[in-house]
Amino acid sequence: AVQLVESGGGSVQPGGSLKLSCRVSGISIAGADMGWYRQVPGNECELLSMFSSDGSAWTKNSVKGRFAISQDTAENTVYLQMNSLRPEDTAVYYCAASENVVQAVGPRMCGPKWPYSGQGTQVTVSL
């Protein structure tokens, strides 16, 4: 079975940093499309950043320069480094995977559009 387990969330003050981790089992991230999206209750989810299996990467414009996706194929783990966090970044953050190439890459590629997602990790940014 495919499992994605996120960790690294928590509470941080504005301007702080967090690094989220997503440990993957059941598939190799080297051959999959991998992404991070977030969800605020009552709002639409939004894709933040993703790697495609062809090596290309995409990041949502509003978090470029603050968020960076990376991966360690030896550890089969994907990361999301988040810097200069703002209160509006408060959300549940999810790691996601697809063994098939994601065709419609964009902010709306989130939630159930991904075949696999983790359980989510809460990020809270406040004073």
Side-chain angles (χ1 to χ4, degrees), residues 70-92:
S70 62
Q71 60 186 12
D72 183 335
T73 54
E75 295 292 327
N76 220 38
T77 299
V78 182
Y79 304 96
L80 185 68
Q81 177 68 48
M82 305 187 296
N83 300 324
S84 301
L85 283 162
R86 305 166 180 168
E88 55 264 37
D89 294 319
T90 295
V92 179

Side-chain angles (χ1 to χ4, degrees), residues 29-33 50-57 71 101-102:
I29 65 171
D33 285 10
M50 67 169 285
F51 275 125
S52 295
S53 55
D54 65 2
S56 61
Q71 60 186 12
V101 173
V102 170

Side-chain angles (χ1 to χ4, degrees), residues 21-81:
S21 300
C22 173
R23 186 141 185 118
V24 181
S25 59
I27 59 170
S28 169
I29 65 171
D33 285 10
M34 300 296 305
W36 286 95
Y37 66 88
R38 67 187 177 190
Q39 175 88 61
V40 176
N43 289 5
E44 291 186 350
C45 57
E46 58 176 339
L47 182 65
L48 300 169
S49 192
M50 67 169 285
F51 275 125
S52 295
S53 55
D54 65 2
S56 61
W58 175 91
T59 300
K60 190 172 186 282
N61 284 338
S62 63
V63 300
K64 275 183 182 176
R66 298 193 301 124
F67 292 10
I69 192 171
S70 62
Q71 60 186 12
D72 183 335
T73 54
E75 295 292 327
N76 220 38
T77 299
V78 182
Y79 304 96
L80 185 68
Q81 177 68 48

